[in-house]
Amino acid sequence: MSDFNPKIVAFVCNWCTYAGADLTGTSRMKYSPQVSIIRFPCTGRIDFMLLLKAFASGADGIIVSGCHPNDCHYSSGNFHARRRWIVFRSLLDFLGIDVRRVRFSWVSAAEGAKWAQLVNETAEQIRLLGPFKRYHQLRGLGVE
Amino acid sequence: MARIGVFVCHCGENISATVDVKKVAEAASRIPGVAHSVEYKYMCSDPGQQMIRNAIREKNLTGVVVAACSPRMHEPTFRRACAEAGLNPFLCEMANIREHCSWVHEKSEATTHKAFDIVRTLVAKVKRNKALLPIKVPVTKTALVLGGGIAGIQASLDIANSGHKVILVEKEPSIGGHMSQLSETFPTLDCSQCILTPRMVEVAQHPNITLHSYSELESMDGFIGNFKVRIRKKARSLDEKLCTGCGLCVQKCPSKKISSEFDAGLGLRPAIYVPFPQAVPNKPVIDREHCTYYRTGKCRLCEKICPTQAIRFDQEDEIIEADIGAVVVATGFDIKHGDFFPEYGYGKYKDVIDGLQFERLASASGPTLGEIRRPSDGQVPQTVVFVACAGSRDPAKGIEYCSKICCMYTAKHAMLYKHKVHHGKPFVFYMDIRAGGKMYEEFVRRAMEEDGVQYIRSRVSRIYERGGKLVVKGADTLLGSRPLEIEADLVVLATAGVAQAGAEQLAQRLHVSFDAHKFYAEAHPKLRPVETNTAGIFLAGACQAPKDIPESVAQASGAAAKVAILFSQSELVREPLIAVVDRQAPPLYSSCVGCFLCQPSCPYQAIEKEEIRDRDGQLIKTIAKVNPGLCQGCGTCVALCRTKSIDIQGFSHEQVYAEVLALLNRGEDNV
Ligand SMILES: Cc1cc2nc3c(=O)[nH]c(=O)nc-3n(C[C@H](O)[C@H](O)[C@H](O)COP(=O)(O)OP(=O)(O)OC[C@H]3O[C@@H](n4cnc5c(N)ncnc54)[C@H](O)[C@@H]3O)c2cc1C
Ligand code: SF4
């Protein structure tokens, strides 16, 4: 599985994690290029059906990250995201998708190093889990 | 059909060193809908921006993607450039291929590939962007200042002097705050009342300031520029207009043995009282809890002797409503009292007092008329121990922070004591001396060198009574932790500065956040120290963290300047990245079913109910409506809505789903 290049989509909030990832850049820390970021105003905005859409479109892994509890720019959006994540985790289980494919985290605007570490750990985890086969099976059957 | 322009930046070599920018631009030109794709050394430079402006005009672009640095850096630059060329600025997006790509990955095929993925994602988004107009909201040019300590006074005067109306609300019967209780102030030892009272009078007389003392904020709704407040004016039991402040009632009141809040419990006051002689307003209040008439139904002496018949026993609280454009919160701080220090016998031994009590003892207007006499027997203490950091910097007590002001006022106290009791022996127990500030270190040195105050580096482990003396036990850490005992006649604890008791409730009323210690949180610890995260609400003084007078005044003037900036505009312009509820033609009118699950999820109370009625006024449907002034655009409601009837401009369902698909190279934007 050495030539497996996972595709990881990161759903992040604008105020903390997006800025934290900017800091990783300005500090020139290196991390694995398999992750790309989609920016949201707040993790509270993230409709978790988007995560399923991502899996159904070929993502092998997903990161959801925003401000730490109590630090939300909008005061409580991240708590909504956390509650949603708890429910969504059970749904993933029910659907038979390995929950280790989704990483829920908090990275503040000051945590550039933490962002790099989070990406690297997630990429490593997904590499161990291998490609998300369901998607390839569906594609093979012509279903999308 | 979309006509998108893609502009890939080299950023000197910051991007081009690891990303093959030519390849990215070339690949981007093949994305469906891209009409123009180029790369350039510095897109943000003048010629770079000119390239964008020209392309918009010449190629009739309907959207622009600038693949360069973070939007947090240059989004405003490029949006402005687009606007100058006649393209709605919200049709321009940035693809962050520097911070999120070229700087964090090695030069490789994969890095270039990722850069292209990012560009494709943003192209898919921008194709679905809508031209948006900034939101304009009017501004009510009246400020509400909460708290009449020195910070609130300064903020009120500055705002009033800039020509705007101010409503100042103080919960106590007089303004002045803690500063009015102080004797003399570091580092100059000028008399606190002498510098404060002229300001208090100025507040009372200023034509632009309306003062509501003995009042509190009951509720607040609305948003920046457009708040609506209700203020509870507590019953003074007095007609303020008739009262001349002659003071006869205060002299004659038979119920005189009430502990005075102003004298920090060291003096007494009657049931009808003015907290201190220079109070503003100088009108008494009846303390109903202690008044003989309210307790027993008999007395009414004050009513009988009042020359202007101003006493009103049946007066009720009054609610005042007002429209406000901005709020300055200046509700100050408190110090730790009570049984927080059992090991120091505070509250048990009369002669273990706190800093504010010492201020009252040292004050010429205090219970001892400025003579240092200990509370238990009125004797002049021969040895006084001052304990710094009482409770502060002590994680075991739950207060990790430094209270900041106590090192300085402890030095001041020891000095004042020495100035008044020449043969007296002052000792200071301290952990570290924090005297950062103009003339502060010199002040502490003066206490040590000129006034002979003995500083001992030690925490105090225990204080107990022995033969009429207070034994203070510690260990001198500069002398190898040698145990040490001092027999004192009076002990003054510099107890930790803490948040006001009602700070949390007030924060909830105002929708502002606070830290773990209930001090109000500033929007940014360095760059936005006087703003809160709620637009239009500013902070001043010790309600944000313990601070001294100069700092409180500086912050108050800063907050006032922020208010004046806000009030210099007649309309506010805001980014229109807010939520909107779906509206469509009859018979559906809206896909919203009116479940209102979204309502409690909104942190800003921005979701209202809208009734759709037919021509005869018959109710057809009640649906949600977002107040554009209140909505801050977090999008929590959007993710929550079960019928997908709320969407957020700039991060719409259509946009984000397209982004996910494009990133994974699926859907209609794939190449
Ligand atoms: C013992 C001691 C000695 C000190 N000595 C010095 C010194 O020598 N030099 C120096 O520079 N600093 C000194 N200080 C610090 C100084 O007291 C403060 O810096 C200053 O009082 C802060 O002003 P403020 O207006 O922010 O708060 P405060 O003085 O606490 O005033 C807050 C005001 O708001 C009112 N309020 C509270 N809650 C509400 C509400 N919900 N609604 C309406 N009103 C409300 C309060 O009643 C009060 O009037 C000393 C402090 C202490 C404790
Ligand atoms: S200012 Fe001085 S006495 Fe007060 S908490 Fe800080 S270090 Fe301790």
Side-chain angles (χ1 to χ4, degrees), chain B residues 184-443:
Chain B
E184 282 158 20
T185 53
F186 62 75
T188 42
L189 291 189
D190 36 4
C191 141
S192 187
Q193 292 271 1
C194 313
I195 52 178
L196 176 66
T197 44
R199 295 274 168 108
M200 291 165 57
V201 173
E202 212 183 315
V203 165
Q205 294 175 343
H206 204 295
N208 281 347
I209 302 179
T210 310
L211 169 62
H212 295 302
S213 59
Y214 209 44
S215 303
E216 276 180 69
L217 181 76
E218 181 83 0
S219 65
M220 188 180 90
D221 293 308
F223 51 94
I224 181 167
N226 300 271
F227 297 108
K228 279 202 179 340
V229 296
R230 297 174 77 233
I231 298 159
R232 176 177 294 271
K233 209 168 165 56
K234 292 177 277 188
R236 268 187 127 92
S237 312
L238 181 95
D239 185 329
E240 278 185 70
K241 289 203 187 73
L242 291 180
C243 173
T244 57
C246 71
L248 223 79
C249 50
V250 177
Q251 283 166 28
K252 292 283 163 33
C253 175
S255 169
K256 281 210 162 52
K257 296 249 162 90
I258 304 159
S259 159
S260 155
E261 297 84 358
F262 183 75
D263 280 332
L266 294 182
L268 299 174
R269 63 159 173 85
I272 183 162
Y273 71 106
V274 180
F276 53 103
Q278 304 89 335
V280 168
N282 203 334
K283 312 261 159 116
V285 176
I286 298 184
D287 167 3
R288 292 189 176 182
E289 200 190 318
H290 294 101
C291 162
T292 319
Y293 171 66
Y294 285 106
R295 276 181 29 238
T296 66
K298 292 203 186 68
C299 183
R300 299 180 82 125
L301 189 65
C302 46
E303 189 182 39
K304 280 172 214 137
I305 57 156
C306 176
T308 60
Q309 275 91 48
I311 304 291
R312 295 282 178 276
F313 284 107
D314 56 355
Q315 197 176 53
E316 285 177 10
D317 290 3
E318 191 189 337
I319 299 288
I320 299 164
E321 297 191 353
D323 289 326
I324 296 294
V327 182
V328 176
V329 188
T331 48
F333 72 118
D334 205 346
I335 57 168
K336 263 288 181 213
H337 304 283
D339 49 11
F340 194 65
F341 310 98
E343 66 277 30
Y344 294 166
Y346 176 65
K348 181 167 155 206
Y349 307 128
K350 278 190 160 170
D351 294 332
V352 177
I353 61 173
D354 62 44
L356 276 177
Q357 290 175 317
F358 189 84
E359 293 286 344
R360 295 315 299 147
L361 287 185
S363 166
S365 68
T368 56
L369 301 175
E371 286 181 37
I372 308 291
R373 293 182 174 279
R374 60 185 202 172
S376 62
D377 55 7
Q379 296 292 316
V380 175
Q382 304 305 311
T383 305
V384 180
V385 168
F386 296 90
V387 181
C389 293
S392 307
R393 306 176 61 200
D394 190 350
K397 290 242 186 243
I399 300 180
E400 305 87 2
Y401 58 85
C402 163
S403 295
K404 199 169 179 186
I405 50 177
C406 13
C407 275
M408 286 304 293
Y409 78 60
T410 294
K412 173 183 79 174
H413 288 172
M415 229 178 203
L416 290 178
Y417 167 65
K418 193 71 188 169
H419 293 176
K420 289 176 190 253
V421 184
H422 299 303
H423 58 275
K425 286 204 239 53
F427 294 91
V428 172
F429 280 67
Y430 72 102
M431 296 222 290
D432 300 287
I433 300 172
R434 304 203 161 160
K438 196 165 173 174
M439 300 300 288
Y440 282 17
E441 176 64 19
E442 296 90 320
F443 183 80

Side-chain angles (χ1 to χ4, degrees), chain B residues 13-14 20 91 135 156 187 323 349 395 405 412 488 511-512 554 627:
Chain B
E13 289 200 330
N14 281 305
D20 187 338
L91 298 175
I135 298 171
S156 299
D323 289 326
Y349 307 128
I405 50 177
K412 173 183 79 174
H511 309 296
V512 299
N627 180 326

Side-chain angles (χ1 to χ4, degrees), chain B residues 432-467:
Chain B
D432 300 287
I433 300 172
R434 304 203 161 160
K438 196 165 173 174
M439 300 300 288
Y440 282 17
E441 176 64 19
E442 296 90 320
F443 183 80
V444 175
R445 284 255 148 243
R446 229 166 76 209
M448 292 174 181
E449 288 163 9
E450 286 173 29
D451 294 312
V453 179
Q454 261 215 59
Y455 271 73
I456 301 168
R457 189 168 188 279
S458 163
R459 277 222 112 146
V460 173
S461 56
R462 215 155 86 79
I463 297 173
Y464 57 95
E465 219 167 22
R466 188 172 66 201

Side-chain angles (χ1 to χ4, degrees), chain B residues 103-125:
Chain B
W103 274 350
V104 287
H105 308 311
E106 309 292 348
K107 181 182 172 96
S108 75
E109 191 94 349
T111 305
T112 299
H113 206 271
K114 172 170 168 178
F116 176 53
D117 283 347
I118 298 174
V119 171
R120 199 176 53 228
T121 306
L122 271 302
V123 169
K125 179 178 189 191

